[in-house]
Amino acid sequence: MTEVSDVHGPVHTGTGDLYYMEAARGRGPRLTFIEELDWLWRRFVHPPGHGQASDILKTYRTLLLDGAPGNGRIATAKVLLRELSSGAERFHELTWEEKNGRFQLEPASIGDDDRVWLDLSRAEERAWRCFQNELSSLRKMVVENAAFLVIVLPDQGREGLSPEFWKFHWTIGHPPAQEVLRRYLRLAGIPGVVSIPPPEFMKTERSVREIAKFADLVASAYKNAPEAPHHAWYESAESAYSGFGTGVAEAVKELRHGPQRALLLATAMLHNAHVDHVHDAAVALLDVVGYADERHFLERSDLLTSLGEIGAVADTNGHVRFKELGYDAAVRALFWHHMPGLRDGIQQWIGRMVDDPCLPDNDRYQLAERFAEQCLHLRYRQALVESVAEWTRGPKTYRRQMAADRALRRALTAEEHAMFFRKQIYNWARDDHLSESLAQVIIRMCIEVIAVTHPDQAVVRLHHRARRESRTTNARTALLEMVAGDPWLRRLLLVRLTRLAMNGREWRRDVELFFDVADPAAFTAPGDRDRPLVAEAEIRAMLTEGWKRAFRESAEPAWHDRAREWLITALHDDRHRDLLVGILIEGSERRGEVLGGLYTVARGLSRFTPDDLTRTATFLNVVLRKICTAQGIQVS
């Protein structure tokens, strides 16, 4: 899998500030995902049935993984694939989406030695039935590419599974809950986890995800009070996990004045920010919602007293936080979910705050992420879409662009909502009138987030954006960096460049992209199994189609340099000479001016190899013979 290097330098996005595209040098999607996978593997507790599932995967290269919701099926799928990896293989998730009334995968969705999983846990009956009709062809692709595939079955499990697929099926149980908790706590540095009695939280059946979330809260409680007894950490985590029940609502009810409530919400949204920024945010909220506080400043409570009234304190550095762990999250949820009359005002207020030049960047990023978290609900996702679009509309600033970046990044990493936001980015990428500011944000999301587990989708979105760029070439640059050195992604882009869009629309920019992608060295380089791309008939057919269109729609100055590189490679590569020359000549469609131009280029190469006349003569003979054959001329 390719590692995407950074896009260097500032990217101008029109009026306003510059938006910098700075991915960490040398840290591409593959490395990022391997680190995440290793983090998961260290915390993973094998569920009952793990060994049998592994045996089926090793034997058939395909596993239909079953189990009750909450058993950690997706985590198990990833760990099973990791256990069959040397570390160099590509890991990614397949997506089974409905397009034009049909469920389908992206073309060329599985490459050589890939480790892939497909989550069908939420699939409806119709999708599940359609998928089984395609499973045999998908398995054929897996076997031919020496890949491994784990499919997480729908929540109804094996129900409706065709008998022919039973041998690939296995059910896992729930991993030992106490061991899961202990593993997470031990790796979080919590002392004495083996001897600590289980908390009340664990007396109720919990999913693996719930246990992991609880363990994270325990770790936060320990960090806040490392000298406290273990039961205090548990109690604090349990209160935070439950959202404090009705306690927050009762506390807000006691705060009868608008300034108090504004300070409460500002503290929750800017938790751990400096007291000055929290105060300014509260004042801004009152202004946005039209609340006028007529009292003179000398008549109002001092800020520390006001913070005490809402259960917050300021530390010695002036940073504000609530006394109770998780209280900030509970307050945010209460205002957003249970005060609908304030929702529009909160949205406008967030937009004002993320563009506040006095707010430190870290506080701005956390503000955007916390707002995104409130929108991660089926009912409110569109509010986040609208905010991101608003923050990046017109001559907006770097600050708003980065807030949009952080909000989208948070949404794309939320398992239940990631598909929705990937689809939204797809829609934005195909927008002919997208603002350049938003275009830069979605380019970054493609190369840094989507490409980690869905590189094929990242390529599709970058391709759509590259077709529509006018003032920049950032999407094109990012797209080409993604496919460089990755035969699978190069193949996927070639598929897209050499077929008509479903609506028949042709893009002139695709010809330019074809010249970029059609690097003869990349197509003749040995693959993982010493099988260059050009050796595949399907690839040769697509390359021929690409050259046909290039010759049809471009004058010689446009195609000359790339065609010359093909002929240079053919001159020096005895193994692939016939294939390379044949693709070019067939692509000419017997057009005399193209054939003449190609022969002239080939003849001109002879002066660069004066010491190897035999090689040059053989090369020119191949070129001439194929040209004559194309023109119907008999060659003796």
Side-chain angles (χ1 to χ4, degrees), residues 294-308:
E294 303 295 341
R295 292 176 301 163
H296 192 278
F297 283 105
L298 290 174
E299 299 175 354
R300 302 176 190 176
S301 300
D302 68 87
L303 193 51
L304 291 181
T305 299
S306 298
L307 289 172

Side-chain angles (χ1 to χ4, degrees), residues 28-267:
R30 188 189 70 82
L31 180 58
T32 301
F33 181 74
I34 291 300
E35 289 176 347
E36 293 178 359
L37 191 59
D38 285 345
W39 183 94
L40 172 64
W41 182 75
R42 288 193 297 272
R43 288 156 179 79
F44 185 77
V45 175
H46 288 83
H50 182 92
Q52 295 91 328
S54 179
D55 290 341
I56 291 173
L57 183 59
K58 291 175 184 176
T59 302
Y60 299 110
R61 295 188 172 271
T62 301
L63 170 67
L64 304 181
L65 187 62
D66 203 350
N71 282 7
R73 292 168 294 172
I74 295 176
T76 300
K78 294 177 182 179
V79 169
L80 285 167
L81 292 167
R82 184 196 185 279
E83 292 171 345
L84 295 176
S85 170
S86 66
E89 297 83 2
R90 180 195 299 106
F91 286 80
H92 61 99
E93 181 179 5
L94 297 179
T95 52
W96 178 248
E97 297 180 314
E98 186 171 10
K99 297 180 180 179
N100 302 313
R102 296 181 58 192
F103 289 92
Q104 61 187 58
L105 299 167
E106 278 293 331
S109 53
I110 298 178
D112 287 349
D113 298 318
D114 281 2
R115 305 296 187 263
V116 293
W117 71 97
L118 174 61
D119 180 12
L120 295 179
S121 60
R122 298 182 183 89
E124 298 178 352
E125 183 181 352
R126 184 169 71 92
W128 172 228
R129 189 169 57 250
C130 291
F131 175 77
Q132 290 193 64
N133 294 334
E134 304 295 331
L135 180 54
S136 293
S137 59
L138 179 59
R139 282 208 67 250
K140 183 173 182 290
M141 191 187 306
V142 168
V143 173
E144 288 177 348
N145 290 284
F148 287 96
L149 168 67
V150 179
I151 301 166
V152 178
L153 294 189
D155 286 344
Q156 63 266 31
R158 179 173 166 170
E159 181 180 339
L161 179 64
S162 299
E164 61 187 296
F165 302 132
W166 287 353
K167 62 183 177 181
F168 309 129
H169 172 271
W170 194 259
T171 301
I172 58 168
H174 196 295
Q178 294 294 344
E179 179 56 30
V180 173
L181 179 62
R182 291 192 187 102
R183 181 75 60 88
Y184 272 86
L185 293 179
R186 185 167 62 251
L187 289 170
I190 309 298
V193 294
V194 175
S195 58
I196 294 176
E200 289 291 322
F201 178 85
M202 296 299 290
K203 294 183 179 179
T204 301
E205 185 175 340
R206 302 290 184 177
S207 70
V208 173
R209 183 182 298 180
E210 288 174 326
I211 297 172
K213 179 180 177 181
F214 178 76
D216 188 55
L217 290 170
V218 174
S220 296
Y222 167 72
K223 182 179 178 181
N224 291 340
E227 303 303 322
H230 66 266
H231 65 81
W233 304 331
Y234 282 162
E235 289 169 3
S236 182
E238 286 170 355
S239 295
Y241 187 91
S242 68
F244 296 89
T246 60
V248 175
E250 292 297 325
V252 173
K253 185 178 179 180
E254 294 299 317
L255 301 174
R256 300 185 179 279
H257 302 294
Q260 291 177 306
R261 294 187 174 188
L263 184 62
L264 179 70
L265 181 56
T267 300

Side-chain angles (χ1 to χ4, degrees), residues 375-378 381 411 414-422:
C375 297
L376 295 179
H377 185 284
L378 290 174
R381 294 186 302 200
E415 187 174 296
E416 294 182 13
H417 305 279
M419 181 180 294
F420 171 87
F421 286 98
R422 290 197 304 269

Side-chain angles (χ1 to χ4, degrees), residues 259-280:
Q260 291 177 306
R261 294 187 174 188
L263 184 62
L264 179 70
L265 181 56
T267 300
M269 294 300 297
L270 290 172
H271 205 237
N272 285 320
H274 193 273
V275 64
D276 290 345
H277 301 305
V278 173
H279 170 265
D280 292 344

